[in-house]
Amino acid sequence: MAAVAKPGRMNAFSTTHDWESADYEPTLPVTEKSNPLTRDIDRASASSIVKMLQACDAQMFQEKSQTEYQRLLSEEIVKTLMEVAERVRLILKDPQDSLVVLSGCGTSGRLAFFMASGFNRELQRLNYAPICSYVIAGGDRALFSSQEAPEDDPTLGALRLKKVSEGKKRVLFIGVSCGLSAPFVAGQLDFCLRHPDVYTPVLVGFNPAHQARNEPLPGCTLTFRSVVTRMEELAKTQKAFLINPALGPEAISGSSRMKGGSATKILLEVVFSASFSRTPVTFNGILQHMRSYKKALDFTYSHSEEIAVLTEAAGRSLQCGRQVCYLGWGSLGLLGLIDASECKPTFGADYEDIRGFVSGGYKELGNNEGDLTLMGPEFSISHDDFLDRVLPRLTDDDTVLLLYSDSDDVDEVAKLAHRVREKTPNIHAAYHQTDGGTAAQQDDINKLCSSTINFTWSQETPKRLQHMRELSTKLLLNAVSTGAHILKGKVFKNYMVDLQVTNSKLYRRAARLLQELSSHSESQSEEALLKAIYQVDKLSEDIMTCSLDTHTHTAGKAKKVVPLALVCLLTGCSIKEAETRLEHQPIVREAVEACLKSS
Ligand code: S6P
């Protein structure tokens, strides 16, 4: 029987540290393992889902145990953060000829953009010249739409890095790949290693080095692991840096937007805050700063019942085919855009299912390529776009969530809340304020909203309050969007069963999942995947000889590829029959369960 359906195995691994055991899913890196804490998340109530996510997120801050794994608060990690902060200081002293480049794919690239913009704003406030640039695989359209294919291109990664840093004499390159897996980032790191006179590479990810992906990068013989091995050697003399603590498996296996994204944000903010400060960079300073994020996490989840109410509302909207809209202000609004854009590859969602809008639209963003509205409807991101295109069609079944803080224009929030309330009572708010400072309009907004989560941060919270509010908002949104898709039936146990198969990582994950759930051989599972991608019952010679790139490109045009392949594997039926079956049972989890029972 399929490994995931073996009750014995599940019982054997049930506590929070068990994933660290050497024989727990030994062939998978930490970021791809399934988390023992969330095995039953697909059957949980909204309130239990939020509690499970809380337990998973708390694993980020667990101290090192008796295993090989470095953790977020490990001495080695803190020391590396100190060293990198010193490097950023050197760049600050010479902004003309130096640069920090943050880069990544998918969520990692979005956060690279988010933080590069935030750090530059902070520098300007402190009267420094901006020193940060970002590179995201797929360009700016990938900031809020799913563009998974460019992740596979190492040459493109290197070219983009070269272009953005043209003419600079000293570049600190910070590449983020949570799984130590993205070829785009490996290409950039390799480029840095080949030009050590200018570039110092820093890699941020959440697997130990020996678990880095070992598949040849497209078009060359290098692998991510071979690049990491070279970096490890140079790290001994501080010519390269590796920041790769383990965080424990994601709540939804492989969904690195969750803990991976949160930890990326924490680590880079800690580094940059230390380097911007006028006081010396110290071990304890860094450690305390990291611990303050743990407090922010606990504080966020102290509102878990309210988060569950919101998750339930969002889940109801998705269940009846309606939508969830995040209407945000400032950086909290950007986090809404980011969270929404991740639902497509993770849950096979439509871009309209969960959408983000930010006050000021592209002006607020300040992205490299400017206004992208003309690229298509999913690039309409301002509140005006919401008012023009979405509000007129809003019904009681849609959920609207306002995201703002007392440093935003609360008058404007109240006005928008009134407009939405005229169309639907299903409006909610997540509001961050500081002790004793409630805005007068807040009472008004509270009356309009069917639920409000009021995050009241204490005055003693460190001056990095905005970063804490952002983390809190990210956790909240990840819980709402993940929870809502679970309630819609898009998750089986803790696996994303309706993922898009649009790059090599997702292709491999899908093939593995099919093998795991069906107990068929590796080759049978991959064949079924290909049949579903090409919508055929027999694989032609042509298909068999196509490149992986062609497979993932074709998969981008198909829907429900993995569920189709799974139904075929479990029942032996044709693709057409599997399609009909899934039409009758659109809840993917239930369709899979029905097939598993009858197989
Ligand atoms: C993950 C998200 C993806 C990843 C991207 C980069 O939840 O949907 O878009 O961010 O694949 O992954 P990595 O491991 O290189 O950071």
Side-chain angles (χ1 to χ4, degrees), residues 265-311:
K265 185 164 155 38
I266 293 170
L267 288 166
L268 295 184
E269 284 170 2
V270 166
V271 164
F272 281 83
S273 305
S275 55
F276 294 177
S277 152
R278 298 194 193 274
T279 56
V281 178
T282 66
F283 186 91
N284 280 339
I286 297 261
L287 198 59
Q288 265 175 25
H289 191 179
M290 302 254 266
R291 289 194 196 282
S292 61
Y293 283 96
K294 166 77 170 89
K295 283 196 193 140
L297 187 142
D298 292 341
F299 175 62
T300 305
Y301 281 113
S302 68
H303 293 269
S304 63
E305 280 312 314
E306 294 142 279
I307 299 174
V309 168
L310 200 53
T311 304

Side-chain angles (χ1 to χ4, degrees), residues 138-441:
D140 277 2
R141 55 162 57 218
L143 290 175
F144 15 81
S145 73
S146 157
Q147 309 288 333
E148 310 300 322
E151 177 169 332
D152 278 339
D153 194 337
T155 316
L156 187 65
L159 277 174
R160 292 277 178 270
L161 170 59
K162 187 167 175 244
K163 184 147 187 261
V164 79
S165 52
E166 205 95 78
K168 296 290 177 186
K169 296 198 179 106
R170 190 202 307 257
V171 177
L172 186 69
F173 171 73
I174 305 183
V176 184
S177 180
C178 297
L180 305 190
S181 71
F184 187 88
V185 175
Q188 296 173 318
L189 294 169
D190 174 61
F191 177 81
C192 295
L193 295 174
R194 287 189 287 109
H195 300 89
D197 44 327
V198 175
Y199 296 88
T200 305
V202 181
L203 170 60
V204 176
F206 305 105
N207 286 318
H210 71 272
Q211 291 182 1
R213 193 172 172 188
N214 210 18
E215 185 180 335
L217 304 179
C220 62
T221 52
L222 295 175
T223 69
F224 205 115
R225 195 178 297 173
S226 69
V227 174
V228 173
T229 307
R230 278 152 70 206
M231 283 185 70
E232 279 187 304
E233 202 42 48
L234 290 172
K236 291 179 190 155
T237 49
Q238 299 194 5
K239 292 194 174 102
F241 300 91
L242 273 148
I243 307 173
N244 59 331
L247 310 169
E250 295 288 354
I252 303 302
S253 314
S255 186
S256 56
R257 75 191 192 105
M258 302 182 83
K259 286 198 271 194
S262 302
T264 300
K265 185 164 155 38
I266 293 170
L267 288 166
L268 295 184
E269 284 170 2
V270 166
V271 164
F272 281 83
S273 305
S275 55
F276 294 177
S277 152
R278 298 194 193 274
T279 56
V281 178
T282 66
F283 186 91
N284 280 339
I286 297 261
L287 198 59
Q288 265 175 25
H289 191 179
M290 302 254 266
R291 289 194 196 282
S292 61
Y293 283 96
K294 166 77 170 89
K295 283 196 193 140
L297 187 142
D298 292 341
F299 175 62
T300 305
Y301 281 113
S302 68
H303 293 269
S304 63
E305 280 312 314
E306 294 142 279
I307 299 174
V309 168
L310 200 53
T311 304
E312 204 158 345
R316 270 197 305 270
S317 293
L318 295 190
Q319 275 160 354
C320 62
R322 298 298 307 180
Q323 70 178 150
V324 178
C325 291
Y326 302 146
L327 301 181
W329 279 259
S331 59
L332 307 186
L334 291 188
L335 289 167
L337 287 173
I338 293 177
D339 183 86
S341 66
E342 292 154 354
C343 296
K344 205 170 161 183
T346 315
F347 304 110
D350 191 86
Y351 84 91
E352 287 195 290
D353 291 350
I354 300 196
R355 279 190 84 171
F357 297 92
V358 62
S359 170
Y362 288 94
K363 275 198 216 105
E364 172 66 38
L365 242 61
N367 54 315
N368 287 343
E369 296 169 34
D371 194 328
L372 307 179
T373 314
L374 294 178
M375 283 190 167
E378 60 188 303
F379 298 96
S380 297
I381 57 162
S382 70
H383 287 177
D384 289 340
D385 293 325
F386 168 80
L387 292 171
D388 288 349
R389 295 160 190 238
V390 180
L391 187 76
R393 293 185 280 118
L394 226 51
T395 73
D396 290 2
D397 291 328
D398 297 300
T399 300
V400 175
L401 171 61
L402 306 169
L403 300 164
Y404 61 104
S405 75
D406 50 9
S407 38
D408 296 310
D409 183 346
V410 185
D411 255 341
E412 206 193 285
V413 181
K415 274 189 208 138
L416 195 59
H418 272 284
R419 299 277 307 268
V420 174
R421 186 64 183 79
E422 282 163 17
K423 300 289 281 187
T424 176
N426 201 1
I427 170 170
H428 306 258
Y431 171 55
H432 294 268
Q433 62 167 33
T434 312
D435 247 352
T438 311
Q441 305 88 332

Side-chain angles (χ1 to χ4, degrees), residues 103-140:
S103 183
C105 313
T107 303
S108 301
R110 293 176 193 124
L111 289 173
F113 156 74
F114 182 89
M115 283 184 280
S117 325
F119 297 149
N120 281 344
R121 261 198 301 272
E122 177 65 3
L123 284 172
Q124 272 162 333
R125 197 182 63 79
L126 298 169
N127 283 328
Y128 283 106
I131 53 155
C132 295
S133 287
Y134 70 92
V135 175
I136 177 167
D140 277 2

